[in-house]
Amino acid sequence: MIPLSTLNKRTYHSIDLLKVVASLLVVAIHARPFEGDHYPLFISLFSRMAVPTFFVVSAFFFFRKSPDGAQLKRYLKRMAWLYAFWLVVESYMVVESYFILHDWSLGKTFVIFLCNFFLNSTFSGSWFIMALMLGVPLVWALSRRLSTWWIVGIGVGIYVGVTVTSNYYPYLPSPVQTAVDDAYRALGLFHNSVLPAIAFCAMGKLIADHEARIAQWHRAGVSVALLLCVALSAVEVACHEARFDDCYLMLLPTIPLLIIWVLRHEAKWRLPYGWLRNFSTITYFSHFIFVWLLADQATLSPMGRYFVIVALCVLTTAVFRFLARYIPWLAYAY
């Protein structure tokens, strides 16, 4: 078995590259570079792997340090600053969403904002941060009394329920559909909340717990298993039209296998990995602004608009990193 000291010296550059790919896939969800028959295959299959990947990776890096309560507080503080930074940056879009596009009373607006703060999004993509801020501490607390396998089982059970009521909604009996619709109106969309994140946060901890053992797994076996899961994922996605395609069942085995495959293939290229880590985070949040700004742009093709948005994300990363030398609080962006 590989010693812990050796694992602690790993660079995890392959994870950095995976995060860059995942961030570009998230951009594809909202920029929609593909049209027609290409959209379901690329977005519903591949792009939907991106956010679960971020959940597993975030939890993996947190739990591999065997964190105590103080480390959990530091983690939550860091995530809270990330949330606050992008809430300020996207404040105009938030004000437009809550006050301009609706004629709600001030009291109703506050209630909806508070509900979305914890359960969905206040600004675009913010549900992801809150899902981590709730999911990671929940897994951490449960691990004090339960084994990680039990926590994964609980998370998987919740995830299956979320998937059935979203992806497989058309197959539910009419009374169940009515109950789901009522729950959506009251609580928001389940698939954009902490509920599906619990399983992937627990999987991140499971991988962290068994990292030394995973390092002994045969690469070929992991590759075959991953390819099989991707193929079965394609079958699941292609076999029916989902109401919401954010979650599908084959993500449960595919995402942890993807992370394990990446861990078994450490990148050794000379690349600016710190820059790439910052780019993946900044791209995840800033691209919503550029999608919004270019929404009515008719001179660009869908693919052209996608590359323009990515280029703007690259520029934003470069500007933030440069200015952070003189304005330290800009580092909260990443």
Side-chain angles (χ1 to χ4, degrees):
M1 183 172 293
I2 296 177
L4 182 60
S5 59
T6 301
L7 290 174
N8 287 336
K9 295 178 181 178
R10 287 197 57 174
T11 60
Y12 297 99
H13 290 330
S14 56
I15 296 290
D16 295 330
L17 296 178
L18 177 64
K19 290 171 63 178
V20 170
V21 173
S23 67
L24 296 176
L25 289 174
V26 171
V27 176
I29 295 174
H30 305 105
R32 302 175 69 91
F34 300 101
E35 295 180 311
D37 295 337
H38 296 91
Y39 176 84
L41 176 61
F42 190 87
I43 302 299
S44 299
L45 176 60
F46 295 111
S47 288
R48 294 308 181 186
M49 297 180 183
V51 174
T53 294
F54 280 121
F55 282 134
V56 176
V57 167
S58 297
F60 167 75
F61 282 121
F62 176 76
F63 285 109
R64 72 180 300 270
K65 301 175 183 177
S66 300
D68 56 18
Q71 289 171 305
L72 177 63
K73 290 179 181 178
R74 286 196 294 271
Y75 174 81
L76 292 176
K77 181 179 179 180
R78 181 168 63 86
M79 298 301 293
W81 277 114
L82 181 67
Y83 194 109
F85 181 92
W86 288 105
L87 177 60
V88 171
V89 170
E90 297 190 32
S91 59
Y92 176 81
M93 297 167 65
V94 174
V95 170
E96 180 187 50
S97 175
Y98 284 89
F99 292 96
I100 298 177
L101 299 181
H102 299 281
D103 57 354
W104 298 328
S105 66
L106 185 61
K108 182 176 180 180
T109 300
F110 176 76
V111 170
I112 293 175
F113 181 89
L114 192 63
C115 181
N116 288 343
F117 180 81
F118 288 103
L119 300 178
N120 294 122
S121 292
T122 52
F123 62 90
S124 299
S126 64
W127 75 270
F128 168 74
I129 304 177
M130 186 53 62
L132 280 175
M133 293 181 69
L134 296 174
V136 168
L138 178 60
V139 172
W140 181 86
L142 289 175
S143 67
R144 269 43 191 168
R145 295 184 175 274
L146 300 173
S147 73
T148 306
W149 282 107
W150 271 104
I151 304 171
V152 169
I154 293 170
V156 167
I158 296 171
Y159 182 88
V160 170
V162 171
T163 303
V164 168
T165 55
S166 58
N167 196 303
Y168 290 90
Y169 173 92
Y171 304 100
L172 297 175
S174 179
V176 178
Q177 289 182 342
T178 300
V180 170
D181 291 340
D182 291 340
Y184 281 161
R185 282 190 288 269
L187 302 174
L189 301 176
F190 301 152
H191 51 269
N192 285 346
S193 73
V194 66
L195 295 178
I198 296 171
F200 296 111
C201 288
M203 289 176 183
K205 183 180 187 306
L206 187 66
I207 294 173
D209 291 347
H210 299 281
E211 184 181 5
R213 183 176 299 176
I214 288 171
Q216 304 295 325
W217 289 11
H218 291 293
R219 291 184 179 184
V222 175
S223 298
V224 170
L226 178 59
L227 288 174
L228 178 61
C229 283
V230 172
L232 292 175
S233 297
V235 171
E236 180 182 5
V237 169
C239 278
H240 71 283
E241 185 173 346
R243 183 186 186 187
F244 299 109
D245 63 356
D246 300 67
C247 301
Y248 58 86
L249 297 176
M250 281 305 300
L251 282 175
L252 290 170
T254 302
I255 299 305
L257 274 172
L258 173 62
I259 305 302
I260 291 170
W261 186 90
V262 170
L263 287 173
R264 294 295 292 117
H265 294 78
E266 178 65 3
K268 299 185 182 297
W269 303 303
R270 291 187 177 182
L271 296 172
Y273 292 103
W275 194 97
L276 292 173
R277 282 193 295 272
N278 298 157
F279 169 78
S280 63
T281 301
I282 292 172
T283 296
Y284 187 98
F285 295 105
S286 67
H287 82 274
F288 291 103
I289 301 172
F290 304 130
V291 169
W292 177 71
L293 289 173
L294 297 175
D296 298 325
Q297 176 57 254
T299 59
L300 294 171
S301 67
M303 184 61 72
R305 190 166 69 106
Y306 172 80
F307 282 113
V308 168
I309 291 169
V310 171
L312 290 171
C313 292
V314 171
L315 178 62
T316 302
T317 302
V319 170
F320 276 17
R321 280 175 56 90
F322 175 78
L323 292 179
R325 303 174 188 174
Y326 311 99
I327 311 173
W329 59 265
L330 282 176
Y332 290 131
Y334 47 86

